[in-house]
Amino acid sequence: MKKLTAGVLILVLSSSFVVVQAQQTKPGDTLKTQEIEGVVVTALGIKREKKALGYASQEIKGDIISDAGQTNAVSALSGNVAGVQVTAPSTMGGSTRITMRGISSITGENRPLIIVDGVPLDNSNVNDIDTQRGAGGRDYGDASFDINPDDIESVTVLKGGPAAALYGSRAGNGAILYTTKSAKKGKTDVQFNTGVSFEEIYIRPKLQNQYGGGSQFTLPTQSINGTMYNIQEYQTDASWGPKYDPNLMYLPWYAFDPEFSADYLKPVPFVAPKNDVDSFFKTGVAYTNNLSVAKSFGDTNVRLSYTNTNISGIVPTSKIKKDNFSINLNSKLSDKLKADAVVNYVHTEGFNRPEVGYGDNSVAQKFYQFGQRNLDFVKLMDYKLADGSQRTWNRTSWDNAAPKYSDNPYWTIFENTSADNRHRFFGNAGLTYNIDKHFYITGKVYADLYSQNISSRVAVGSQAISNYTLEKRNVSEFNYEGRAHYNNNFGDFSLNAFAGFNIRDNKMSWLRGTTVGGLIIPGLYNLNNGIENSLATNYDSHSSVKSVFGSVSLGYKDMLFVEGTGRNDWFSMLNDDQFYPSVTGSFVFSKVLNADWLSFGKIRAGWSNIALGTDPYNRLTYTEIGLPFNGSPQYSNPNTSNDPNIKPELKVTQEIGIEASLFKNRVSLDFTYYDTKSKDLIIALPIDPATGYLFKRINAGEMTNKGIEAMVNVVPIRNENFSWNLTWNFARNRNRLVNLYGDLQNYVLTNAPFRAQLVAQVGQAYGTILGTDFVYDGNGNKVVDENGFYKASDLKSLGSILPEYNMGFRNTLKYKSLSLSFLIDIQQGGKYFSTTHMWGMYSGMLEESALGGNREAGIVLAGVKEDGTQNDILLDAQTWGSTYYNTVDAQNVFDASYIKLRDVTIGYELPKSLIGNVFEGIRISAFARNVFAWNLANKGIDPENTSYGSGNIQGMEGGSLPSTRTFGFNVNFKF
């Protein structure tokens, strides 16, 4: 991969220098220079000239997101922005993990702040810890799913502290600014956009297809009604059974129900199923329709937009419906007063989002970890008897139909369902008053509020205890902001300054109720239908931050700029206020270096010191109210003791970079080196339980991140009819936990469902997978013990979840009205632990466990005995498979590298002669996403599919659905 990286860079640079010099300069080149030195959106939504910025930022156009048929505006950034790492599993509407410049906090927030039209958007993830660590649960995604890709005009990524310092503590990890489309003065624009996409399973575990269910090479027998039959170990959820044989007849699981007379006591051949696991999944379909109307009425501009999105997933019965309404208006009320407002309403409704990880209702766990490989899925479709009871393959015995371990997968998706819906309003309203041409004041209110309801059902007759759970969640944030701006030029000097205040108010509450002991009446899902009294819990939080901030930018002859910013926050959840400054500077050296080959050049540098806040109620320790015992209430100390003097985490960032455009703007580059140090990290330190607590929340530890970001854009060909644009971006980050507290070396973040741990380890990169490794002799041979099993080391680092580098390579070609664009997305390094591989080998499900169709011969593990002689101890196949669980964890840890053809888009503008005067334009486009993947260490698992939340718990694969690829087309009508 290192050779590949160098090769791509050499290809980009060499082709640019050689080809560009052969191109004739066009008049449009001067316009490109203006774009390079143009205006971009920066912190607080303030538009600034690019040349004056002393920090790293990157802008991408909304077309890149919408043209590829994206339904998620955050995951669409993957591979398009240097320094941004996106993990987007393909569970329908699932969580999207996004980080920039590595990880800086052990337990705190590591995601960037997401802002839409100035509104700081809540991006909460409601998945519980068990879901995130792969122990089972439904992935309800992030609140950022509510952003409408069809409304996006542009995205500005502020990558580090110097760029985002004005947002204070919540933007310590950078910020992503989405600017939505608005009406243009003097124009009327009506557009209708309609599209459909099809999603199919792609990467999934490779299953063996030679042996059936059971634990022995022979089938058991049973006398039924005086006749002797071969039966199966129906209660065994493993596939170490006999080899398939068309002459071997047996009674399958579905042969014991008289009401299915065609199958009742009818032996069938013991062969591979005609309808295997893949037939369970269906082609997912997503329909998206958007209508927008933009109109100018004198000094008032209004844009209305409505988008309807309907998604059905690859798991039958799973679906999401989303409706987005938006109003964007601005009006010049007088020569000096202007008003503007943006209002969005989003309704998201999901049904039966599939469970992921190691859980009762996870079909992936039943398909790839524990099961019987001889199951025909057409037969499984008859999952219920006339009396409503379940028919499952995993019977307790031939004459006992009760589920032993696993429900019928069709019972799971039709009976054990979930539902969720979210109503959300977000937007802003403000006034701007121009006192004179240099001085203006502005005031705005930003609001984001939503309510979310989630319910889940476990039906009577399931393997698990029947249940009904209901959760209601309410979130709100209001920001009240005022600023005064002064901009002026004084001869060779320019001044850009502003000062302001912000008052932020956050509230969150949730109420959860669940039945206890099972349901009384089947099919009645109500909290009053529990065998025992239902359990109800609730939580409320309220926090606020009051801030003042300011910025001064000085320029000299449009070539030298120095900027200083400062912000002071007063937290309701911390005793001390915090001040965070930043200083940046830029030198436009192309102003003094007069060279024909240099169109634009700038050197920049920045420094910032930002404090990262903490959660509400982390200062004081509150008594917990427990569940009643024998009717009496219980009160106790919480597990964690809080410190009233807790301080915020501090993050100091230094960066330096260069931007240049060469050869009449045919080549442009942007390079950044950064160095960040985070200290006073907030952790819950394990303490002696004799204190009455298990943990004490303290400030401790230090973490560093150092890295580079690079972007190169090359235009080898550009003329009146044809253009070819290549964009390459690269990011490499080196993360290190310098220390924790005293002699503490490992801080446990979570445990995988069974074996490995995810920890922060001193001296290592964040997110170390801790487990047992092979034991090697002095010659590098694996050592086996007296039983022929691989010897296991003590617990040690098996690698970090963080990659070595990420890289993207986009090609865009345009010929007249025809365009083609594709993106190659590359990740090198990082690790993940796979529970699916561990149990799939343990239970004989995976292809590798078949031993090439010769399980009967057993296996001798490659390695040496403890005395150094070659291993010759023969293991039977099932014993060998069991060692993937209880010996060496490293067998289930894989490299997370990949190379992906992330998206391909082909578009065509129909000629005016064909569409007539009814339409201003019609554009037809076809797209594909996640088309191919290469360089996978485990061919059956997508490294991006090992995440079940957008928080700090990553890389613990517990039972993932297949990753998918998507194909679709879109038609845009302009009136």
Side-chain angles (χ1 to χ4, degrees):
M1 284 299 294
K2 292 181 179 178
K3 291 183 178 179
L4 173 63
T5 307
V8 172
L9 179 58
I10 292 170
L11 171 64
V12 171
L13 294 178
S14 61
S15 64
S16 64
F17 279 87
V18 174
V19 178
V20 167
Q21 291 182 22
Q23 302 303 315
Q24 184 176 357
T25 302
K26 298 293 178 183
D29 291 338
T30 56
L31 296 178
K32 288 290 181 179
T33 302
Q34 294 173 3
E35 290 182 14
I36 292 170
E37 300 184 25
V39 174
V40 294
V41 178
T42 64
L44 304 180
I46 299 169
K47 293 183 178 181
R48 299 282 305 279
E49 291 182 301
K50 289 183 181 181
K51 61 188 176 184
L53 304 183
Y55 47 76
S57 66
Q58 187 173 338
E59 184 181 56
I60 64 173
K61 298 300 183 184
D63 292 345
I64 292 178
I65 295 174
S66 57
D67 283 356
Q70 292 281 358
T71 58
N72 189 306
V74 175
S75 62
L77 300 179
S78 181
N80 284 305
V81 182
V84 172
Q85 183 189 358
V86 180
T87 303
S90 54
T91 50
M92 183 187 64
S95 304
T96 299
R97 164 74 162 172
I98 182 167
T99 58
M100 295 193 292
R101 296 185 174 181
I103 303 296
S104 58
S105 177
I106 295 176
T107 61
E109 182 61 80
N110 283 295
R111 296 176 298 169
L113 177 65
I114 292 178
I115 295 173
V116 180
D117 292 326
V119 181
L121 208 65
D122 178 87
N123 193 26
S124 295
N125 187 291
V126 299
N127 300 345
D128 61 24
I129 295 298
D130 278 343
T131 302
Q132 296 178 57
R133 69 186 185 93
R138 302 182 192 269
D139 185 357
Y140 292 101
D142 308 294
S144 63
F145 184 69
D146 292 338
I147 302 172
N148 183 16
D150 284 306
D151 285 338
I152 296 172
E153 178 75 29
S154 65
V155 185
T156 302
V157 181
L158 305 178
K159 298 179 183 179
L166 280 168
Y167 284 114
S169 60
R170 64 200 321 199
N173 304 305
I176 301 174
L177 315 182
Y178 290 88
T179 302
T180 62
K181 298 173 183 176
S182 59
K184 302 298 186 287
K185 184 174 178 62
K187 288 188 63 177
T188 298
D189 182 56
V190 180
Q191 295 191 38
F192 176 66
N193 199 62
T194 181
V196 62
S197 63
F198 304 94
E199 183 182 32
E200 61 180 30
I201 60 173
Y202 177 31
I203 300 171
R204 65 273 197 197
K206 309 297 182 184
L207 298 172
Q208 62 90 4
N209 209 30
Q210 301 181 68
Y211 296 87
S215 62
Q216 304 176 53
F217 289 133
T218 58
L219 291 175
T221 59
Q222 179 67 45
S223 176
I224 304 174
N225 299 333
T227 302
M228 189 65 70
Y229 294 96
N230 288 320
I231 61 172
Q232 196 179 4
E233 297 176 44
Y234 309 105
Q235 73 280 9
T236 301
D237 56 350
S239 288
W240 295 108
K243 196 168 187 176
Y244 291 141
D245 181 356
N247 298 313
L248 178 62
M249 307 297 288
Y250 81 113
L251 291 179
W253 66 272
Y254 52 83
F256 300 100
D257 300 306
E259 65 186 74
F260 288 86
S261 57
D263 297 322
Y264 185 61
L265 296 181
K266 300 285 180 66
V268 299
F270 193 72
V271 295
K274 293 181 180 178
N275 304 281
D276 207 344
V277 171
D278 285 0
S279 67
F280 172 84
F281 299 103
K282 67 185 185 73
T283 299
V285 182
Y287 298 97
T288 303
N289 293 285
N290 169 260
L291 176 64
S292 65
V293 179
K295 178 71 174 177
S296 178
F297 303 93
D299 290 327
T300 300
N301 306 305
V302 182
R303 182 180 185 272
L304 305 175
S305 175
Y306 167 67
T307 301
N308 172 257
T309 305
N310 279 283
I311 304 171
S312 62
I314 58 172
V315 174
T317 73
S318 63
K319 58 186 177 181
I320 294 177
K321 178 184 177 183
K322 184 170 69 166
D323 294 287
N324 291 76
F325 299 88
S326 71
I327 302 174
N328 189 321
L329 62 89
N330 59 79
S331 180
K332 185 178 180 181
L333 303 179
S334 70
D335 289 340
K336 293 190 174 184
L337 184 63
K338 185 181 75 171
D340 58 83
V342 180
V343 179
N344 295 271
Y345 167 71
V346 189
H347 179 218
T348 304
E349 186 174 354
F351 178 76
N352 212 27
R353 298 181 193 241
E355 182 164 330
V356 289
Y358 193 93
D360 290 330
N361 293 311
S362 170
V363 293
Q365 188 259 347
K366 311 303 181 187
F367 293 167
Y368 304 118
Q369 296 182 19
F370 288 100
Q372 297 191 349
R373 291 293 299 120
N374 50 291
L375 302 177
D376 190 296
F377 277 71
V378 167
K379 291 298 185 181
L380 287 169
M381 288 182 179
D382 294 320
Y383 70 90
K384 190 162 61 172
L385 294 172
D387 64 0
S389 59
Q390 181 185 176
R391 298 178 78 221
T392 181
W393 61 271
N394 192 208
R395 303 166 65 93
T396 300
S397 65
W398 74 270
D399 57 352
N400 184 350
K404 181 68 172 178
Y405 302 112
S406 297
D407 292 322
N408 184 310
Y410 289 97
W411 174 277
T412 297
I413 63 173
F414 283 104
E415 305 295 331
N416 296 345
T417 61
S418 74
D420 63 276
N421 69 78
R422 182 166 61 231
H423 294 272
R424 186 173 201 163
F425 290 90
F426 65 94
N428 70 76
L431 294 171
T432 301
Y433 185 78
N434 293 288
I435 297 174
D436 58 35
K437 65 179 182 178
H438 302 299
F439 185 41
Y440 70 91
I441 57 175
T442 182
K444 283 202 171 185
V445 177
Y446 304 95
D448 177 23
L449 57 161
Y450 66 85
S451 62
Q452 184 173 22
N453 297 333
I454 299 174
S455 64
S456 61
R457 305 175 174 185
V458 177
V460 174
S462 300
Q463 187 273 332
I465 296 174
S466 57
N467 176 267
Y468 176 64
T469 298
L470 178 66
E471 182 174 330
K472 295 181 178 292
R473 179 185 179 92
N474 292 288
V475 177
S476 69
E477 175 176 327
F478 287 89
N479 281 271
Y480 308 92
E481 187 174 281
R483 301 194 307 266
H485 290 253
Y486 183 80
N487 304 314
N488 205 348
N489 293 317
F490 304 93
D492 292 335
F493 294 90
S494 62
L495 172 65
N496 185 306
F498 64 86
F501 71 90
N502 182 280
I503 300 173
R504 170 160 61 102
D505 188 82
N506 292 83
K507 292 181 181 179
M508 190 274 286
S509 64
W510 56 259
L511 174 65
R512 186 176 186 269
T514 184
T515 58
V516 178
L519 301 176
I520 301 172
I521 303 174
L524 177 60
Y525 294 99
N526 188 285
L527 294 177
N528 291 323
N529 190 36
I531 292 176
E532 301 179 24
N533 290 334
S534 292
L535 175 66
T537 54
N538 71 294
Y539 175 82
D540 291 271
S541 73
H542 184 193
S543 63
S544 66
V545 180
K546 297 178 175 63
S547 312
V548 293
F549 53 81
S551 171
V552 176
S553 177
L554 297 173
Y556 175 69
K557 289 189 174 180
D558 266 353
M559 68 174 182
L560 185 63
F561 299 89
V562 177
E563 180 175 354
T565 72
R567 180 176 177 123
N568 204 93
D569 283 353
W570 289 265
F571 303 90
S572 67
M573 53 280 205
L574 294 169
N575 281 334
D576 300 328
D577 63 306
Q578 291 293 326
F579 175 72
Y580 358 91
S582 77
V583 179
T584 62
S586 63
F587 172 52
V588 183
F589 60 83
S590 55
K591 293 286 187 179
V592 295
L593 184 59
N594 188 13
D596 291 339
W597 53 269
L598 180 63
S599 306
F600 175 77
K602 180 180 77 172
I603 296 175
R604 62 173 191 267
W607 172 90
S608 68
N609 187 352
I610 294 181
L612 282 71
T614 184
D615 295 329
Y617 313 124
N618 272 356
R619 281 192 301 169
L620 303 179
T621 303
Y622 301 91
T623 301
E624 289 189 346
I625 304 174
L627 302 179
F629 181 76
N630 289 334
S632 299
Q634 294 190 85
Y635 303 91
S636 66
N637 286 332
N639 288 335
T640 303
S641 170
N642 290 325
D643 182 356
N645 297 312
I646 197 79
K647 297 183 296 185
E649 301 181 355
L650 294 176
K651 183 175 182 180
V652 180
T653 300
Q654 303 173 76
E655 68 175 62
I656 188 169
I658 184 171
E659 299 172 38
S661 179
L662 316 173
F663 308 116
K664 305 298 183 182
N665 307 310
R666 296 301 185 88
V667 180
S668 61
L669 59 91
D670 189 330
F671 177 86
T672 303
Y673 170 79
Y674 61 86
D675 184 339
T676 67
K677 178 185 294 184
S678 303
K679 60 181 182 179
D680 290 335
L681 305 180
I682 298 174
I683 63 172
L685 181 73
I687 58 175
D688 187 347
T691 62
Y693 303 95
L694 298 178
F695 304 93
K696 182 174 180 60
R697 201 179 312 276
I698 63 170
N699 291 106
E702 180 180 311
M703 190 182 297
T704 60
N705 285 276
K706 299 178 181 180
I708 59 172
E709 299 161 350
M711 185 176 67
V712 178
N713 189 78
V714 181
V715 185
I717 303 174
R718 181 171 66 233
N719 56 43
E720 293 178 357
N721 294 322
F722 182 74
S723 66
W724 176 19
N725 189 289
L726 303 92
T727 302
W728 173 81
N729 68 71
F730 175 85
R732 178 170 182 155
N733 179 76
R734 287 293 174 264
N735 172 278
R736 183 171 179 265
L737 179 61
V738 178
N739 60 69
L740 278 167
Y741 181 82
D743 58 357
L744 182 65
Q745 295 297 303
N746 292 314
Y747 186 85
V748 178
L749 302 171
T750 193
N751 297 295
F754 297 93
R755 291 283 297 183
Q757 292 181 323
L758 186 68
V759 305
Q761 187 174 55
V762 173
Q764 302 291 323
Y766 180 87
T768 294
I769 298 173
L770 207 62
T772 56
D773 198 357
F774 295 100
V775 173
Y776 297 91
D777 68 7
N779 297 317
N781 299 306
K782 296 174 183 175
V783 179
V784 300
D785 62 18
E786 66 275 9
N787 298 312
F789 299 173
Y790 282 125
K791 290 196 68 175
S793 72
D794 294 331
L795 291 180
K796 60 186 296 187
S797 170
L798 301 178
S800 167
I801 61 173
L802 301 181
E804 294 179 23
Y805 64 79
N806 292 87
M807 181 165 61
F809 188 49
R810 179 174 290 281
N811 265 271
T812 303
L813 299 97
K814 294 182 179 180
Y815 176 70
K816 294 185 177 179
S817 298
L818 181 67
S819 63
L820 168 67
S821 176
F822 65 89
L823 172 66
I824 302 291
D825 192 5
I826 300 170
Q827 175 170 293
Q828 176 63 26
K831 302 288 183 180
Y832 66 89
F833 177 85
S834 174
T835 302
T836 292
H837 187 263
M838 179 182 73
W839 287 131
M841 292 298 295
Y842 177 94
S843 63
M845 298 286 285
L846 297 182
E847 184 178 66
E848 184 184 348
S849 71
L851 292 175
N854 192 19
R855 280 180 175 174
E856 296 80 357
I859 184 174
V860 176
L861 297 180
V864 298
K865 298 179 182 179
E866 293 183 81
D867 60 7
T869 60
Q870 194 70 27
N871 178 40
D872 59 0
I873 302 174
L874 181 68
L875 301 178
D876 66 84
Q878 188 172 356
T879 299
W880 162 69
S882 70
T883 66
Y884 280 81
Y885 165 64
N886 57 13
T887 57
V888 179
D889 296 324
Q891 297 178 106
N892 307 304
V893 174
F894 296 94
D895 189 279
S897 301
Y898 60 77
I899 303 172
K900 289 191 175 186
L901 179 55
R902 180 68 68 183
D903 65 60
V904 180
T905 306
I906 301 174
Y908 181 65
E909 296 275 356
L910 296 182
K912 195 69 176 177
S913 59
L914 184 63
I915 63 177
N917 296 321
V918 177
F919 300 100
E920 183 179 329
I922 299 178
R923 175 178 167 81
I924 301 173
S925 60
F927 57 84
R929 297 197 305 274
N930 298 322
V931 189
F932 294 109
W934 303 273
N935 199 40
L936 302 182
N938 185 323
K939 305 301 182 186
I941 296 178
D942 187 336
E944 289 190 287
N945 227 17
T946 62
S947 169
Y948 312 112
S950 56
N952 293 332
I953 299 174
Q954 301 289 307
M956 296 281 102
E957 191 274 330
S960 296
L961 291 168
S963 69
T964 61
R965 49 186 171 193
T966 303
F967 306 89
F969 62 87
N970 194 73
V971 183
N972 178 265
F973 300 90
K974 292 183 180 180
F975 298 91

